[in-house]
Amino acid sequence: MTNRRSSRAVAVGWVLSLCALSLVLLVSCSRKGDYPSPASAGLDAVVDAHSLQPGVPRFFTYRHRSKEINFFVIHHDGKVLSFLDACVTCYRSRLGYHFSEGTFTCRDCNMKYSTPEIEKGFGGCFPIRVPGTLRDGKYYIPRAVLEKAAKYF
């Protein structure tokens, strides 16, 4: 009888350990990473366009008051584009997007988009476009635009 209790306790321990590990993996896969702050110049957030790899987004966090406004910048098809790490449909979840192998995936609803699709995207779960200007190898985003977007974060 004691041997049976011991085996059962070991089995329960394994099950609890597996559940805890699964929970840790689930939470770590669904959360956003910590993003660096963009440089600043005058009234703009600034990203060095030369540091962008074609087709690979760089994520940033602009901090304004108590808000962390996440956005990404991507070099695509000879252009530099910027978007909030949020959409008008799923922003309340505050999960943003994950990028892998040329595809953006909403962490909330699991919708998937290629870079050409997000550039042309409109409404729904597409990332919200952020206007910016490319000058002398630097990409400038007005901080006022990012601050206005705080409602999505």
Side-chain angles (χ1 to χ4, degrees):
M1 183 113 141
T2 305
N3 196 14
R4 215 184 256 182
R5 282 186 193 160
S6 176
S7 296
R8 189 177 213 180
V10 169
V12 168
W14 273 105
V15 168
L16 290 175
S17 296
L18 287 173
C19 288
L21 178 61
S22 296
L23 182 62
V24 167
L25 289 174
L26 180 64
V27 169
S28 67
C29 290
S30 66
R31 294 182 62 201
K32 292 185 282 190
D34 293 325
Y35 306 132
S37 295
S40 188
L43 299 174
D44 299 316
V46 182
V47 174
D48 179 8
H50 297 296
S51 69
L52 299 173
Q53 295 178 13
V56 180
R58 285 195 55 207
F59 287 81
F60 297 92
T61 298
Y62 174 72
R63 289 165 179 80
H64 176 66
R65 297 185 181 151
S66 64
K67 296 283 188 165
E68 292 187 345
I69 302 155
N70 297 317
F71 66 97
F72 61 90
V73 179
I74 187 166
H75 181 263
H76 168 69
D77 202 21
K79 299 174 273 196
V80 178
L81 308 168
S82 52
F83 300 86
L84 294 180
D85 191 19
C87 72
V88 295
T89 303
C90 301
Y91 75 91
R92 287 176 184 86
S93 70
R94 293 175 175 32
L95 295 174
Y97 294 88
H98 169 71
F99 182 81
S100 179
E101 299 178 18
T103 303
F104 290 90
T105 304
C106 175
R107 287 186 166 115
D108 186 52
C109 71
N110 208 34
M111 289 293 296
K112 297 179 185 314
Y113 304 101
S114 67
T115 303
E117 288 175 311
I118 67 165
E119 180 183 6
K120 294 176 176 91
F122 178 77
C125 189
F126 287 97
I128 299 166
R129 186 80 177 261
V130 176
T133 306
L134 183 62
R135 284 190 320 264
D136 301 322
K138 304 281 185 199
Y139 188 72
Y140 297 87
I141 302 170
R143 291 190 320 224
V145 169
L146 294 172
E147 291 165 7
K148 189 175 180 182
K151 65 185 175 186
Y152 295 109
F153 298 91

